[in-house]
Amino acid sequence: MEHFKAIGNDINRNPHPVYQQLLAIESNKQALSDEAYLWLLYRKAHAEDLLYFHKEFEQTVAAAKALITDQTSPEIRAHIGIYSGVVAERQGQYGQAIASLRAAMALAKNENLNYAYTWGKQHLAYSLSLTELYETSLSDLQEAYVEAFAMDDHFLIAVINETYGAVYGYMNEYDKSIEYYNRALDTYERLGYRPFVAEAIYGLASTYRYMKQYDKAIAKFNLYLKRINYTTNRDISYFGAYGLGMTYAEQGNCAKAIATIDNALMLNGQIDYDAELYKQKASCFIKQGKLEEAEENIVRAEQIFAKMPELAGTTWTLENKKIRAALLYARGQYQQSYQLLKDYYEAYSSLLISNSTRQLIRVRAAMELERQSVELSLLEQRSRVQSLQQASKEQSTWQQITITAGVATALVLALTIAVVLYLKNKRIYELSITDPLSGVFNRRYVFEYLDKLIATSHGRNGDLAILLFDIDNFKQVNDNYGHPFGDEVIYRVSQIAQDTLRVGDVLGRIGGEEFLCILPRTDAEQAETIAKRLAANIQQALFTNESGQQITITCSVGISAIDSSMQDRATLYVQSDKALYQAKMNGKNQVVIFQE
């Protein structure tokens, strides 16, 4: 049994040879205890999942569920429960998937099985995102991330980053999606986990497709097809064919799209993905004037979605209306086409509004801020523990044992307390570090954060840069349009800035209309590129006052960067302030790098 518990990393690196070994052991299963056999089935399902042996995976999970009793260890019951949720999700039974995952998580939480709980949590977040419950999904992901970080489990953190990439892709937050996928990919490659490397590449390809960067998407999908050579299962190429077929169709290359989609549909894929392929085939047939073929494919997509009530009213099902409206138009039924298209756009607009509420934007911003703060807090605690461990090596053998045990206990206790306090006092913590008007970090926190970064900086060029920016002519905005409108401008500008910055950058409002952006691992030239993008995004946004008048807002930005001759916060801030002053003197709406 201990052998089966220990082979998880081997499966993650190269599942096929381990799977062959498990099959050989299973042929002599009578030599195993009931618990050991269930562990074998769990690891067999683990390997089958990564090898895309989906039919065998379902059979193994079903066999394990049938053998579980009240005497079965909670760890096995939790993991098999999670896999049951995965099976249901792939069958499009999202309600059942969510129920299975929550039941497994409840068991894991009750038994203090932190790994299983966190693993289930990120699966649940992904399932919720498929039904477009993005706010709940992000909240669940945040909790999973904190748990994974507390355990210092780099693999779990990477998996959660990958899920963040998927969720932000569905939310059309493409830059953040790409960043999270790349973070996951870096970890997977460092660990040598080949199946997960392929998955992260696939996620990047999908996001590029959503961004309509079709050449990049096609290149990544083809790279994915090369990276799945770790398995002999031909069906795994379904997802590559799916991605390429969808990309070719959206690119307008219908001849290539239909051939690729037909190839995908001959493979053993996922039912909801098949529905998307039928929709794209229908659109291509309409363009080619093959209206009967288009009708057949629309019906197939509708029949699949009819079996998935959880997707009713989502983007996936609404698109059927749009395609059917195009078919009606091609048949000359213009009035019916117009009415159906009108219904589609009304429903789609309502959906976009509901998915873009200020509450969701605030949740996402708060998640990013809290995540960064929790990382810093836990890292600081680990650093203290490591210092204690180093000191313990200089003591006698008995003292070493005592101190090491005490340090280990202190670490577990400290991390547990940090997580519990975070979960129970989330709102209080947010208020203590957040500016209530803008929703970004407040002055106290952002300067404390800057002090910590400077303290750990080596003073090398490229270690750290800051942007100091403020809203141009803000007094006139307040005087001309009123303070409530001015408050709305501050909030909107802060959200535009938050969206413009990269993962890992920190934004704070330090007073009035003035903001400070902290850019780790950035030199002055890179900071200038970010600053110009920020200024352009603010200028392009439209601000509408109560009378309906649209106002253009601009900002001025001053930049300074740390180097060997300057390594303190005061000097760094003063330099950026001087650069900001110069930007104002240059006519405003300018970006200036501090020069001696």
Side-chain angles (χ1 to χ4, degrees):
M1 189 164 65
E2 293 304 319
H3 168 72
F4 299 130
K5 290 184 178 182
I7 61 174
N9 287 337
D10 294 333
I11 294 174
N12 288 340
R13 289 192 182 95
N14 200 6
H16 194 263
V18 183
Y19 183 58
Q20 296 301 315
Q21 295 169 15
L22 291 171
L23 291 177
I25 296 171
E26 188 179 23
S27 65
N28 191 30
K29 63 183 180 183
Q30 62 273 15
L32 301 173
S33 67
D34 292 344
E35 185 75 9
Y37 183 51
L38 277 169
W39 269 100
L40 182 145
L41 290 178
Y42 164 57
R43 287 308 186 191
K44 184 166 169 267
H46 180 179
E48 287 166 344
D49 185 38
L50 297 183
L51 292 167
Y52 284 68
F53 291 164
H54 287 168
K55 183 178 180 181
E56 292 85 349
F57 174 75
E58 291 177 15
Q59 292 170 347
T60 302
V61 172
K65 285 176 66 179
L67 294 175
I68 287 176
T69 67
D70 291 340
Q71 284 69 48
T72 302
S73 69
E75 189 172 5
I76 279 292
R77 287 157 55 197
H79 281 297
I80 296 301
I82 292 168
Y83 276 159
S84 296
V86 173
V87 169
E89 177 197 293
R90 287 178 182 157
Q91 294 173 344
Q93 300 171 358
Y94 296 115
Q96 183 180 330
I98 291 168
S100 294
L101 291 168
R102 283 179 171 156
M105 287 166 51
L107 172 63
K109 188 172 185 179
N110 188 54
E111 298 292 335
N112 294 318
L113 300 170
N114 293 334
Y115 184 94
Y117 178 82
T118 307
W119 185 253
K121 194 75 168 177
Q122 67 85 22
H123 270 298
L124 177 63
Y126 180 69
S127 295
L128 291 169
S129 75
L130 293 176
T131 59
E132 299 185 354
L133 296 173
Y134 299 129
E135 183 176 337
T136 307
S137 175
L138 284 174
S139 297
D140 283 348
L141 269 183
Q142 184 69 2
E143 183 182 341
Y145 177 84
V146 173
E147 294 279 359
F149 199 91
M151 289 186 284
D152 197 23
D153 191 312
H154 297 283
F155 169 60
L156 265 183
I157 291 171
V159 171
I160 293 164
N161 280 334
E162 183 183 349
T163 308
Y164 266 119
V167 174
Y168 278 134
Y170 293 146
M171 292 173 61
N172 303 327
E173 298 275 357
Y174 300 130
D175 289 340
K176 289 194 178 295
S177 176
I178 293 293
E179 285 192 51
Y180 276 112
Y181 273 127
N182 277 323
R183 291 176 72 174
L185 180 59
D186 288 344
T187 303
Y188 293 151
E189 288 180 332
R190 188 169 65 253
L191 293 171
Y193 287 0
R194 295 169 64 193
F196 293 92
V197 167
E199 281 189 11
I201 291 171
Y202 186 88
L204 286 168
S206 298
T207 302
Y208 283 128
R209 175 170 73 85
Y210 300 149
M211 297 172 73
K212 303 186 187 305
Q213 295 186 18
Y214 298 124
D215 290 340
K216 286 185 178 180
I218 290 168
K220 289 294 184 184
F221 281 126
N222 283 321
L223 178 59
Y224 165 79
L225 289 169
K226 292 178 182 177
R227 292 298 186 94
I228 57 177
N229 60 0
Y230 65 87
T231 175
T232 58
N233 181 19
R234 182 171 174 267
D235 283 333
I236 193 174
S237 63
Y238 168 87
F239 296 95
Y242 166 87
L244 286 170
M246 296 288 288
T247 305
Y248 289 138
E250 292 168 13
Q251 193 180 35
N253 189 346
C254 277
K256 206 165 186 178
I258 290 172
T260 308
I261 289 172
D262 285 340
N263 178 46
L265 291 170
M266 287 189 294
L267 299 169
N268 183 27
Q270 290 185 209
I271 186 170
D272 49 345
Y273 280 46
D274 285 348
E276 292 297 296
L277 292 173
Y278 286 129
K279 283 160 56 177
Q280 289 294 352
K281 276 188 75 176
S283 294
C284 278
F285 280 135
I286 292 170
K287 292 176 184 177
Q288 294 177 342
K290 298 177 181 179
L291 305 187
E292 292 306 314
E293 289 92 334
E295 175 71 32
E296 290 175 8
N297 282 276
I298 292 175
V299 169
R300 286 173 181 167
E302 289 171 342
Q303 288 172 341
I304 290 173
F305 285 130
K307 299 175 184 176
M308 298 187 233
E310 295 89 350
L311 294 184
T314 64
T315 307
W316 322 113
T317 55
L318 286 178
E319 285 179 347
N320 276 335
K321 284 188 176 184
K322 185 179 180 182
I323 297 170
R324 191 166 278 286
L327 178 59
L328 289 170
Y329 187 88
R331 287 173 168 165
Q333 298 172 274
Y334 303 124
Q335 184 60 39
Q336 296 95 319
S337 172
Y338 167 76
Q339 187 58 50
L340 191 59
L341 195 61
K342 182 170 177 279
D343 292 345
Y344 162 77
Y345 279 117
E346 287 177 355
Y348 184 62
S349 297
S350 297
L351 187 64
L352 284 180
I353 291 170
S354 68
N355 286 343
S356 303
T357 60
R358 175 173 294 186
Q359 183 181 8
L360 178 57
I361 293 171
R362 286 185 184 274
V363 165
R364 198 211 69 186
M367 295 300 171
E368 295 289 344
L369 298 179
E370 291 168 359
R371 175 181 171 128
Q372 292 163 7
S373 182
V374 168
E375 277 191 30
L376 285 174
S377 176
L378 294 177
L379 281 173
E380 184 176 5
Q381 290 184 41
R382 286 200 190 112
S383 177
R384 291 174 181 171
V385 169
Q386 288 167 2
S387 297
L388 288 172
Q389 288 175 328
Q390 183 63 34
S392 73
K393 292 178 182 178
E394 300 173 2
Q395 306 300 318
S396 66
T397 303
W398 175 249
Q399 289 174 320
Q400 279 188 323
I401 294 172
T402 304
I403 293 174
T404 302
V407 167
T409 302
L411 174 59
V412 173
L413 181 61
L415 295 181
T416 302
I417 290 172
V419 172
V420 169
L421 287 177
Y422 163 76
L423 295 174
K424 290 187 176 181
N425 301 296
K426 185 175 179 181
R427 181 58 178 163
I428 296 173
Y429 175 74
E430 179 184 338
L431 290 173
S432 73
I433 64 171
T434 305
D435 172 61
L437 176 58
S438 64
V440 300
F441 282 129
N442 58 26
R443 178 187 180 90
R444 176 185 61 79
Y445 181 86
V446 77
F447 277 120
E448 287 178 357
Y449 183 87
L450 181 58
D451 284 337
K452 289 179 181 178
L453 284 188
I454 292 175
T456 58
S457 169
H458 299 290
R460 296 176 303 223
N461 184 37
D463 273 358
L464 174 67
I466 64 171
L467 310 180
L468 187 65
F469 76 91
D470 74 4
I471 301 168
D472 293 330
N473 305 314
F474 187 71
K475 184 178 183 303
Q476 294 178 20
V477 170
N478 276 331
D479 291 345
N480 294 339
Y481 307 111
H483 288 278
F485 178 70
D487 290 347
E488 180 64 21
V489 168
I490 287 176
Y491 174 77
R492 285 274 314 279
V493 165
S494 69
Q495 297 310 304
I496 293 169
Q498 189 71 34
D499 290 339
T500 302
L501 297 177
R502 309 160 303 175
V503 174
D505 296 339
V506 171
L507 172 67
R509 177 175 174 236
I510 59 175
E513 69 275 20
E514 192 169 64
F515 296 83
L516 179 66
C517 306
I518 302 173
L519 313 178
R521 302 176 302 280
T522 307
D523 60 23
E525 289 71 24
Q526 292 169 325
E528 183 181 27
T529 300
I530 295 169
K532 287 181 177 178
R533 186 164 66 241
L534 168 65
N537 289 345
I538 291 173
Q539 186 176 16
Q540 290 166 9
L542 293 177
F543 296 78
T544 305
N545 64 14
E546 290 184 357
S547 63
Q549 182 180 2
Q550 290 187 330
I551 314 299
T552 298
I553 299 295
T554 63
C555 72
S556 300
V557 188
I559 300 170
S560 63
I562 205 163
D563 58 33
S564 58
S565 64
M566 184 276 299
Q567 299 181 38
D568 64 278
R569 184 239 282 183
T571 305
L572 192 67
Y573 178 75
V574 167
Q575 288 181 353
S576 63
D577 189 52
K578 289 180 178 178
L580 174 60
Y581 177 78
Q582 188 61 50
K584 295 287 189 183
M585 295 300 294
N586 289 350
K588 303 179 182 178
N589 195 22
Q590 302 285 324
V591 173
V592 173
I593 301 175
F594 174 78
Q595 301 288 341
E596 293 286 357

